[in-house]
Amino acid sequence: METKRTATDVLPTLSFKYELVLEKNYGKVFLLPDNHILILELTKEYVPIEEFREIFTETIPLIEKYKITKFIFDKQNLRVFHQPSMEWYFITWKQEIYKLGLSVHRKILPQDQPAFAMAVEAGRAKIMNDYKDTVIPLLDIQYKTSIKEAIES
C-alpha cells in the first residue's frame, strides 16, 4: 500500500504553523506564515493548461502579500507531463515572481515515476536552449523527496 506524502497528508504531522489559503478542484495552496513559504500541491494526475495558469497566477498576490521567500511545488500527484504548461511556468510565472524577490524554489516530483522525471529534465533543457534571457540561472531550484525536506532546505 502506497503511503501518501503530499502536502495535504504531511503538513498536519509536522510542527510548522500552516493554513490552506487557496483551494481549487485541481490544486491547493498552503501558507506557512512563520517561514514565509508557499506550497502549491497539484491534486490531479493531469491539470489542463488553463487551470494550471489560473492557480499559479492566483499565487502571485499571495507571494507579494505574505513576502514569500520560498515556493514549494508539490507535483507528486501528477502522472502526465505537459511541456506548454512547463514553458509558461518557467518563462512567464517565474519571471514575474522573481521581480517580487522570490528566487528559492523547491520541487517534489512524483515518486516512482522515472519517465516523468526524465520528461521534466528534457523539458527544462529545451527551455534553457530556446529561451536565453530567462531568470532561471538566477534561481535557487532544488528537487527534494519530501515536503519536510523541501521546507527545511
Side-chain angles (χ1 to χ4, degrees):
M1 184 162 179
E2 181 180 320
T3 303
K4 289 286 192 169
R5 300 182 198 139
T6 63
T8 296
D9 303 305
V10 173
L11 281 174
T13 70
L14 302 176
S15 61
F16 302 100
K17 177 183 170 189
Y18 75 93
E19 59 186 274
L20 178 65
V21 291
L22 180 62
E23 186 168 16
K24 304 282 185 180
N25 68 349
Y26 47 82
K28 299 176 181 179
V29 178
F30 298 93
L31 169 68
L32 281 66
D34 297 341
N35 307 82
H36 299 278
I37 295 173
L38 209 60
I39 302 173
L40 189 150
E41 173 191 339
L42 294 179
T43 57
K44 303 289 184 190
E45 291 186 355
Y46 170 73
V47 178
I49 192 167
E50 297 81 16
E51 285 85 1
F52 184 90
R53 286 180 177 180
E54 178 183 48
I55 197 166
F56 272 93
T57 298
E58 289 184 28
T59 66
I60 294 169
L62 298 171
I63 290 166
E64 192 167 22
K65 178 179 180 180
Y66 295 106
K67 299 177 178 33
I68 298 302
T69 58
K70 182 187 294 180
F71 186 86
I72 299 172
F73 185 8
D74 184 352
K75 306 178 187 187
Q76 295 177 85
N77 290 314
L78 289 178
R79 296 296 174 260
V80 177
F81 175 80
H82 187 246
Q83 181 67 22
S85 294
M86 186 176 182
E87 286 186 17
W88 177 86
Y89 164 74
F90 269 96
I91 304 309
T92 304
W93 184 80
K94 283 190 183 219
Q95 181 85 28
E96 191 159 342
I97 64 165
Y98 180 76
K99 292 176 189 171
L100 298 175
L102 178 55
S103 62
V104 177
H105 298 263
R106 299 296 178 260
K107 300 177 184 192
I108 306 165
L109 296 177
Q111 305 295 319
D112 304 319
Q113 296 286 325
F116 190 95
M118 288 172 36
V120 167
E121 191 53 43
R124 187 172 171 181
K126 180 183 183 320
I127 291 167
M128 295 297 289
N129 187 56
D130 293 352
Y131 300 92
K132 301 295 186 198
D133 290 336
T134 71
V135 297
I136 298 168
L138 306 173
L139 304 177
D140 174 3
I141 300 171
Q142 296 178 26
Y143 291 88
K144 300 298 176 181
T145 58
S146 73
I147 294 294
K148 186 174 189 286
E149 182 185 17
I151 291 169
E152 294 176 345
S153 65

